[in-house]
PDB file of all heavy atoms in Angstrom:
ATOM      1  N   GLU A 208      90.105 113.329 155.449  1.00 96.00           N
ATOM      2  CA  GLU A 208      89.988 113.863 156.880  1.00 96.00           C
ATOM      3  C   GLU A 208      91.027 114.849 157.252  1.00 96.00           C
ATOM      4  O   GLU A 208      90.774 115.921 157.744  1.00 96.00           O
ATOM      5  CB  GLU A 208      89.941 112.714 157.796  1.00 96.00           C
ATOM      6  CG  GLU A 208      88.698 112.007 157.952  1.00 96.00           C
ATOM      7  CD  GLU A 208      88.801 110.684 158.701  1.00 96.00           C
ATOM      8  OE1 GLU A 208      89.979 110.340 159.309  1.00 96.00           O
ATOM      9  OE2 GLU A 208      87.900 109.828 158.732  1.00 96.00           O
ATOM     10  N   LYS A 209      92.134 114.560 156.738  1.00 96.00           N
ATOM     11  CA  LYS A 209      93.363 115.333 157.255  1.00 96.00           C
ATOM     12  C   LYS A 209      93.641 116.569 156.318  1.00 96.00           C
ATOM     13  O   LYS A 209      93.985 117.680 156.740  1.00 96.00           O
ATOM     14  CB  LYS A 209      94.697 114.510 157.158  1.00 96.00           C
ATOM     15  CG  LYS A 209      95.824 115.218 158.060  1.00 96.00           C
ATOM     16  CD  LYS A 209      96.969 114.250 158.312  1.00 96.00           C
ATOM     17  CE  LYS A 209      98.087 115.013 158.796  1.00 96.00           C
ATOM     18  NZ  LYS A 209      99.340 114.339 158.760  1.00 96.00           N
ATOM     19  N   HIS A 210      93.258 116.341 155.002  1.00 96.00           N
ATOM     20  CA  HIS A 210      93.496 117.495 154.051  1.00 96.00           C
ATOM     21  C   HIS A 210      92.283 117.665 153.152  1.00 96.00           C
ATOM     22  O   HIS A 210      92.229 117.296 151.941  1.00 96.00           O
ATOM     23  CB  HIS A 210      94.674 117.186 153.051  1.00 96.00           C
ATOM     24  CG  HIS A 210      95.886 116.673 153.823  1.00 96.00           C
ATOM     25  ND1 HIS A 210      96.687 117.664 154.452  1.00 96.00           N
ATOM     26  CD2 HIS A 210      96.492 115.551 153.837  1.00 96.00           C
ATOM     27  CE1 HIS A 210      97.771 117.016 154.967  1.00 96.00           C
ATOM     28  NE2 HIS A 210      97.638 115.759 154.705  1.00 96.00           N
ATOM     29  N   PRO A 211      91.223 118.238 153.788  1.00 95.00           N
ATOM     30  CA  PRO A 211      89.915 118.277 152.990  1.00 95.00           C
ATOM     31  C   PRO A 211      89.988 119.088 151.704  1.00 95.00           C
ATOM     32  O   PRO A 211      89.073 118.908 150.858  1.00 95.00           O
ATOM     33  CB  PRO A 211      88.960 118.964 154.084  1.00 95.00           C
ATOM     34  CG  PRO A 211      89.682 119.327 155.195  1.00 95.00           C
ATOM     35  CD  PRO A 211      91.034 118.758 155.121  1.00 95.00           C
ATOM     36  N   GLU A 212      90.990 119.920 151.600  1.00 94.00           N
ATOM     37  CA  GLU A 212      91.187 120.788 150.490  1.00 94.00           C
ATOM     38  C   GLU A 212      91.727 120.087 149.287  1.00 94.00           C
ATOM     39  O   GLU A 212      91.477 120.590 148.128  1.00 94.00           O
ATOM     40  CB  GLU A 212      91.965 122.076 150.814  1.00 94.00           C
ATOM     41  CG  GLU A 212      93.463 121.703 150.994  1.00 94.00           C
ATOM     42  CD  GLU A 212      93.866 121.215 152.314  1.00 94.00           C
ATOM     43  OE1 GLU A 212      92.926 120.692 153.061  1.00 94.00           O
ATOM     44  OE2 GLU A 212      94.974 121.355 152.808  1.00 94.00           O
ATOM     45  N   ALA A 213      92.406 118.884 149.443  1.00 94.00           N
ATOM     46  CA  ALA A 213      93.068 118.167 148.356  1.00 94.00           C
ATOM     47  C   ALA A 213      91.890 117.572 147.501  1.00 94.00           C
ATOM     48  O   ALA A 213      91.020 116.921 147.966  1.00 94.00           O
ATOM     49  CB  ALA A 213      94.012 117.149 149.052  1.00 94.00           C
ATOM     50  N   GLN A 214      92.300 117.570 146.230  1.00 93.00           N
ATOM     51  CA  GLN A 214      91.330 116.938 145.315  1.00 93.00           C
ATOM     52  C   GLN A 214      91.998 115.733 144.638  1.00 93.00           C
ATOM     53  O   GLN A 214      93.195 115.798 144.169  1.00 93.00           O
ATOM     54  CB  GLN A 214      90.964 118.007 144.099  1.00 93.00           C
ATOM     55  CG  GLN A 214      90.205 119.206 144.576  1.00 93.00           C
ATOM     56  CD  GLN A 214      90.086 120.225 143.600  1.00 93.00           C
ATOM     57  OE1 GLN A 214      90.961 120.692 143.042  1.00 93.00           O
ATOM     58  NE2 GLN A 214      88.775 120.533 143.213  1.00 93.00           N
ATOM     59  N   PHE A 215      91.231 114.620 144.547  1.00 93.00           N
ATOM     60  CA  PHE A 215      91.834 113.459 144.060  1.00 93.00           C
ATOM     61  C   PHE A 215      90.783 112.401 143.671  1.00 93.00           C
ATOM     62  O   PHE A 215      89.612 112.564 144.066  1.00 93.00           O
ATOM     63  CB  PHE A 215      92.759 112.722 145.058  1.00 93.00           C
ATOM     64  CG  PHE A 215      92.229 112.502 146.369  1.00 93.00           C
ATOM     65  CD1 PHE A 215      91.462 111.390 146.634  1.00 93.00           C
ATOM     66  CD2 PHE A 215      92.350 113.457 147.354  1.00 93.00           C
ATOM     67  CE1 PHE A 215      90.908 111.146 147.885  1.00 93.00           C
ATOM     68  CE2 PHE A 215      91.820 113.231 148.618  1.00 93.00           C
ATOM     69  CZ  PHE A 215      90.943 112.015 148.818  1.00 93.00           C
ATOM     70  N   SER A 216      91.124 111.438 142.858  1.00 92.00           N
ATOM     71  CA  SER A 216      90.192 110.465 142.588  1.00 92.00           C
ATOM     72  C   SER A 216      90.694 109.074 143.141  1.00 92.00           C
ATOM     73  O   SER A 216      91.978 109.016 143.446  1.00 92.00           O
ATOM     74  CB  SER A 216      90.089 110.260 140.994  1.00 92.00           C
ATOM     75  OG  SER A 216      91.251 109.720 140.522  1.00 92.00           O
ATOM     76  N   ILE A 217      89.879 108.118 143.139  1.00 92.00           N
ATOM     77  CA  ILE A 217      90.203 106.780 143.741  1.00 92.00           C
ATOM     78  C   ILE A 217      91.388 106.103 142.887  1.00 92.00           C
ATOM     79  O   ILE A 217      92.195 105.464 143.457  1.00 92.00           O
ATOM     80  CB  ILE A 217      88.960 105.930 143.934  1.00 92.00           C
ATOM     81  CG1 ILE A 217      89.386 104.772 144.946  1.00 92.00           C
ATOM     82  CG2 ILE A 217      88.534 105.328 142.669  1.00 92.00           C
ATOM     83  CD1 ILE A 217      89.348 105.211 146.417  1.00 92.00           C
ATOM     84  N   GLN A 218      91.353 106.408 141.617  1.00 89.00           N
ATOM     85  CA  GLN A 218      92.327 105.853 140.749  1.00 89.00           C
ATOM     86  C   GLN A 218      93.669 106.479 141.114  1.00 89.00           C
ATOM     87  O   GLN A 218      94.686 105.653 141.132  1.00 89.00           O
ATOM     88  CB  GLN A 218      92.112 106.150 139.114  1.00 89.00           C
ATOM     89  CG  GLN A 218      90.964 105.267 138.588  1.00 89.00           C
ATOM     90  CD  GLN A 218      91.373 103.898 138.603  1.00 89.00           C
ATOM     91  OE1 GLN A 218      92.488 103.472 138.592  1.00 89.00           O
ATOM     92  NE2 GLN A 218      90.308 102.898 138.735  1.00 89.00           N
ATOM     93  N   MET A 219      93.737 107.750 141.438  1.00 93.00           N
ATOM     94  CA  MET A 219      95.003 108.341 141.748  1.00 93.00           C
ATOM     95  C   MET A 219      95.564 107.767 143.042  1.00 93.00           C
ATOM     96  O   MET A 219      96.633 107.496 143.206  1.00 93.00           O
ATOM     97  CB  MET A 219      94.772 109.930 142.024  1.00 93.00           C
ATOM     98  CG  MET A 219      94.593 110.646 140.767  1.00 93.00           C
ATOM     99  SD  MET A 219      93.802 112.247 141.009  1.00 93.00           S
ATOM    100  CE  MET A 219      95.094 113.186 141.780  1.00 93.00           C
TER     101      MET A 219
END
Side-chain angles (χ1 to χ4, degrees):
Chain A
E208 279 168 10
K209 198 170 171 195
H210 310 288
E212 71 281 19
Q214 296 173 300
F215 54 83
S216 70
I217 197 76
Q218 284 299 331
M219 289 158 72

